[in-house]
Amino acid sequence: MGLTLEEFVGADEAKVAEAIIAAAADESAKAVKGDVEAHAQVWKAKSADERSILAAQAELWATRHAGHRVQCPACGSRALVVGGPVSAPVRKLEEDEIVEKQECLPSHFECIACGLKVNGLSRLAVVGLADRYTNTQVYDAAEYYAPAEDEWAGYEEDNNER
C-alpha cells in the first residue's frame, strides 16, 4: 500500500508496535529462559511448606503493590509486571467515582516467592509476559474535582501597601 506504520496506525501506536517488533527480533533475550529454568529448579528443591509460605507472601505482596498481577513462569506464584503507559488515559464517571483506565506496556517483572526478576520488553516477550495490560485507577469524584486547598489559608493577609 506504500504507507508507513505511522500513517497506518498513528504515531503513538506506531512507537508501541516498533518496540514490540524490536523485542521480538532480539535473539539475545532468549538467555532469560535459562534464568527461569534455574529459578524453577531452586523452587522445586524447596520443601512444600516453604513453597506454600513463600507463595502466600507473594500473593499478599502482589495485591499491595502497584502493577499488573501475573503468574510467575518459574514457580507459578503471583507476581507483578510494571511498565509505562502507551495510550492516553480514559476517564469515566461511574456512580460517585471517576474510573481512569490506561493501557501500559510492561518493562519489568518481579516475583518475590522465587526471586526471579526480568527487565526489558524483549526478555519479557520470551517468557510470555510482554502483553499490554490496563492500569485502572479509581478516584472519589468529590476529591477529584475539588478545588486545590489554599496553602496560605491559615495566614492573615499581609498587605502593607496603601
Side-chain angles (χ1 to χ4, degrees):
M1 289 175 47
L3 295 174
T4 65
L5 189 58
E6 189 172 313
E7 292 170 328
F8 189 64
V9 295
D12 292 337
E13 198 67 30
K15 287 179 188 175
V16 174
E18 288 170 1
I20 293 171
I21 291 167
D26 186 2
E27 290 295 319
S28 66
K30 292 182 179 174
V32 76
K33 288 183 179 180
D35 294 343
V36 171
E37 186 57 35
H39 279 81
Q41 292 302 322
V42 171
W43 179 256
K44 290 175 187 172
K46 295 180 186 281
S47 69
D49 289 340
E50 189 177 5
R51 285 194 308 246
S52 69
I53 290 169
L54 289 170
Q57 288 173 345
E59 181 76 32
L60 182 62
W61 176 80
T63 58
R64 293 186 177 201
H65 284 77
H68 179 63
R69 287 180 285 283
V70 295
Q71 187 174 1
C72 176
C75 69
S77 300
R78 281 285 197 194
L80 292 176
V81 291
V82 293
V86 294
S87 67
V90 177
R91 294 178 191 95
K92 290 184 180 179
L93 179 63
E94 294 180 5
E95 296 183 19
D96 291 339
E97 297 177 329
I98 304 291
V99 178
E100 179 181 90
K101 295 184 178 186
Q102 187 171 28
E103 279 194 353
C104 296
L105 195 61
S107 61
H108 176 74
F109 166 84
E110 183 174 3
C111 175
I112 66 158
C114 69
L116 179 64
K117 293 181 183 182
V118 180
N119 289 313
L121 184 61
S122 58
R123 293 171 56 95
L124 289 169
V126 171
V127 294
L129 297 173
D131 293 337
R132 289 182 181 188
Y133 64 93
T134 302
N135 184 18
T136 304
Q137 299 285 339
V138 179
Y139 304 99
D140 179 58
E143 291 176 5
Y144 187 84
Y145 289 111
E149 187 176 312
D150 183 12
E151 63 183 85
W152 303 105
Y155 297 93
E156 289 185 29
E157 187 174 333
D158 185 21
N159 189 356
N160 296 338
E161 298 176 13
R162 290 191 187 231

